[in-house]
Amino acid sequence: MLHTHLDQNSAKPVPVVIIGNGPSGICLSYLLSGYIPYVRRGSVHPNPILQRKLEETPEIPIFDQDIKYLSEGLEGRSSSPVALLFDALLRPDTDFGGSADSVLTWWHQPDKAVPHLVLGKNLPGGAWHSIEGSMFTLSRGDWMELPGLQFKDWMSRKKRGFRNNRATAGDIVQYYQYYVANKGLKNNFLCETVVTSVKSLGAVADYTNHDSRDGDSRWDPSEKPQDNGEGFRSLFQVDGFVTTINGTQPFSVYAENVVLATGTYDSPSWLGVQGETLPFVHHKLSALEDAVRNKEIGMMSDPILIVGAGLTAADAVLFAHHCSIPVIHAFRRSVSDPALIFNQLPKTMYPEYHKVHQMMKEQVASGPGLYESYISLPEHHIVSFTEDRKCIFRDKSSRQKVYNVSMAFVLIGSNPNLSYLPNNGVDLAVDCEQSVSSKRNPIDVDPFTYESVHEKGLYAMGPLAGDNFVRFVQGGALAIANSLLKKANKNPP
């Protein structure tokens, strides 16, 4: 199907194009490939209210049940009702330290599959490919698994073990690639693709005359013919480039529905200060790994500067400490700020991050500390970088300090790269005046279908819709699959 649509530029659109092949896209592909969830016979959910609802129609697949009704009253670590529902069905008592089996069983019914394409820049796994393989996940290993294949079973077959119930990024990437192969999803995936444009062509009935290469590319529902229920369907044009053994070629494919699952790790956040574009200033952890590998820095170098107080910055501190590279660690918050991620993590489960937090508290620049070659600068702001590799700081009393550094690594988060959408997707956000942000301003979607409230036929999932953990992105996949299956039944081919 892939080559039919990309090589021959078929006039008939694909029912669904998924942009992004991380855990969000993989999970949705699984649900659209005819894998249907039913309540497992004899299972008992520890939540008595949910159990009573599940007993009402046990023979009906979850897709065909009222998801809104099932999710009512559920509470947990996500604000998405569908994410909480799917998580509760897959991992019934995980938040209470239990390991109860899922109450779901999966039947493969190919006749219920919805044809789809999954487009991704790398091999299946998405942004997990950009994380150093030995880094441990923040979430427990079983929270990283996808439906129908227990991560612990895969790990035992690989003769691998957990550390504090956590796995490495390398294990996670291998698991996702194995999952795609094991579940027979490979034919839906096209890797080494870069999507450059997604355009809405409105609701159309004639699929043979819909090229919009020179048309307006903004989302403007007032100018589009609307679906009147008489054969009109939404239509999108997806353009980009695909790289094969024969080189890089452009492609164009038409889709009735488009799912945005590209995550938020494409575009690192910047400080916006003078000198930040200088060649010794970097914005990715991988740049530190490359510099060590290439022997650009070492234990005799001037200190490296690490900016940020999140987990990526902590990983950089740990990596540099392991390599005996001197570090200056600057961050805006107080070490006791409750919003600091380290103050929210259990010490026994995350000992390495607790160690970084300890260093941040004890090794301030104003006095001696236990940790050699590490200086902590809490409540400091970067003023500028200079060409002679100096960094100028401002502390909470507005006093300025200057340090010589060998390299600087600004690790303060990342933003989604939605350059392939009109106006960078701003018109689709909750606040249409601000750029899309997974934490502050996600794409505005219906909470039970994950369809854009601004553009019918366009869906968003994962961090783009505000779901930032793998265990919860699967709820978005359930909501979207539920919506798309209903559309497919309403408009059979």
Side-chain angles (χ1 to χ4, degrees):
M1 184 179 72
L2 291 166
H3 298 291
T4 298
H5 285 279
L6 297 187
D7 293 346
Q8 299 177 11
N9 201 17
S10 171
K12 186 177 180 182
V14 188
V16 184
V17 167
I18 303 167
I19 304 174
N21 65 359
S24 298
I26 295 171
C27 184
L28 181 55
S29 178
Y30 176 74
L31 299 183
L32 294 180
S33 295
Y35 289 94
I36 310 298
Y38 290 82
V39 176
R40 182 166 49 84
R41 185 174 299 176
S43 64
V44 178
H45 198 282
N47 182 321
I49 298 175
L50 181 56
Q51 173 63 21
R52 189 164 63 248
K53 292 178 181 179
L54 295 174
E55 288 174 349
E56 293 172 6
T57 51
E59 72 288 347
I60 297 178
I62 298 297
F63 284 153
D64 294 335
Q65 298 195 35
D66 186 341
I67 288 180
K68 186 175 183 179
Y69 169 66
L70 290 178
S71 62
E72 283 176 354
L74 293 178
E75 296 179 350
R77 302 184 185 185
S78 172
S79 59
S80 164
V82 183
L84 291 174
L85 171 63
F86 205 23
D87 188 60
L89 297 174
L90 291 169
R91 292 169 280 271
D93 59 353
T94 189
D95 280 335
F96 301 100
S99 56
D101 290 338
S102 169
V103 298
L104 298 180
T105 184
W106 295 88
W107 295 3
H108 191 205
Q109 299 173 264
D111 59 306
K112 293 190 176 181
V114 177
H116 61 280
L117 304 179
V118 184
L119 307 178
K121 295 179 181 178
N122 303 306
L123 293 171
W128 286 94
H129 286 280
S130 65
I131 301 174
E132 206 279 319
S134 63
M135 295 290 185
F136 281 91
T137 61
L138 176 62
S139 297
R140 285 169 37 175
D142 57 330
W143 291 355
M144 310 301 295
E145 70 187 24
L146 299 178
L149 180 63
Q150 288 196 334
F151 185 69
K152 63 180 181 181
D153 291 346
W154 178 83
M155 287 281 280
S156 64
R157 284 199 295 270
K158 296 279 289 183
K159 294 182 169 55
R160 299 276 292 164
F162 291 105
R163 173 183 168 183
N164 294 322
N165 291 317
R166 294 156 64 206
T168 66
D171 290 331
I172 298 301
V173 165
Q174 290 182 42
Y175 167 80
Y176 290 149
Q177 291 182 17
Y178 176 82
Y179 186 94
V180 170
N182 179 259
K183 298 301 180 183
L185 310 179
K186 270 189 173 182
N187 288 339
N188 302 320
F189 283 70
L190 187 66
C191 304
E192 303 295 330
T193 60
V194 175
V195 173
T196 57
S197 172
V198 175
K199 295 178 183 177
S200 171
L201 306 183
V204 300
D206 182 7
Y207 283 140
T208 62
N209 183 25
H210 49 236
D211 199 312
S212 178
R213 295 176 200 277
D214 300 317
D216 184 10
S217 62
R218 292 184 63 84
W219 311 113
D220 189 352
S222 64
E223 297 182 5
K224 298 170 187 171
Q226 298 299 305
D227 186 350
N228 60 10
E230 299 177 0
F232 285 85
R233 302 185 192 182
S234 59
L235 189 66
F236 298 87
Q237 180 176 322
V238 180
D239 297 323
F241 295 91
V242 57
T243 300
T244 66
I245 56 174
N246 299 318
T248 300
Q249 298 176 327
F251 73 82
S252 186
V253 64
Y254 297 94
E256 295 172 14
N257 302 277
V258 170
V259 180
L260 309 178
T262 47
T264 63
Y265 298 100
D266 289 323
S267 182
S269 299
W270 285 49
L271 295 166
V273 300
Q274 184 178 346
E276 197 170 0
T277 58
L278 290 168
F280 69 92
V281 183
H282 302 271
H283 296 82
K284 290 186 176 182
L285 178 58
S286 58
L288 172 57
E289 297 159 1
D290 292 342
V292 171
R293 189 181 304 113
N294 298 330
K295 295 183 169 56
E296 296 175 41
I297 50 177
M299 60 188 301
M300 302 306 294
S301 307
D302 279 338
I304 64 169
L305 170 65
I306 296 173
V307 183
L311 297 179
T312 303
D315 287 336
V317 170
L318 289 167
F319 183 78
H321 189 65
H322 176 74
C323 298
S324 301
I325 296 169
V327 171
I328 297 171
H329 184 194
F331 44 97
R332 294 179 302 169
R333 295 184 184 274
S334 161
V335 290
S336 58
D337 189 330
L340 204 65
I341 184 65
F342 308 104
N343 291 318
Q344 303 171 29
L345 299 176
K347 295 178 183 178
T348 54
M349 191 171 175
Y350 304 97
E352 75 278 31
Y353 291 134
H354 173 58
K355 178 181 179 181
V356 172
H357 191 210
Q358 211 169 17
M359 294 165 68
M360 291 163 66
K361 289 188 291 186
E362 298 177 3
Q363 198 77 10
V364 293
S366 58
L370 297 173
Y371 303 96
E372 291 184 11
S373 303
Y374 174 87
I375 296 174
S376 172
L377 298 178
E379 298 180 86
H380 279 62
H381 290 71
I382 311 299
V383 176
S384 63
F385 298 98
T386 64
E387 291 187 3
D388 56 349
R389 296 186 183 243
K390 286 183 171 59
C391 181
I392 302 171
F393 300 87
R394 184 180 69 250
D395 66 15
K396 63 180 179 180
S397 301
S398 295
R399 291 180 301 227
Q400 289 197 352
K401 304 175 183 178
V402 180
Y403 284 91
N404 291 320
V405 299
S406 57
M407 300 179 78
F409 301 91
V410 179
L411 305 173
I412 56 174
S414 57
N415 298 299
N417 180 358
L418 299 179
S419 59
Y420 58 87
L421 293 177
N423 199 22
N424 290 301
V426 169
D427 305 316
L428 303 172
V430 172
D431 181 351
C432 296
E433 301 296 322
Q434 302 292 327
S435 58
V436 175
S437 163
S438 64
K439 294 181 180 178
R440 296 180 299 275
N441 192 34
I443 290 177
D444 199 0
V445 297
D446 181 287
F448 296 101
T449 65
Y450 278 59
E451 188 170 21
S452 166
V453 300
H454 300 292
E455 185 68 35
K456 295 304 178 187
L458 187 74
Y459 296 79
M461 64 186 304
L464 292 179
D467 295 329
N468 291 294
F469 292 96
V470 172
R471 65 181 283 203
F472 293 126
V473 303
Q474 299 171 50
L478 174 68
I480 295 171
N482 187 46
S483 174
L484 292 173
L485 282 164
K486 286 178 179 176
K487 283 186 181 181
N489 292 333
K490 181 181 176 182
N491 299 306

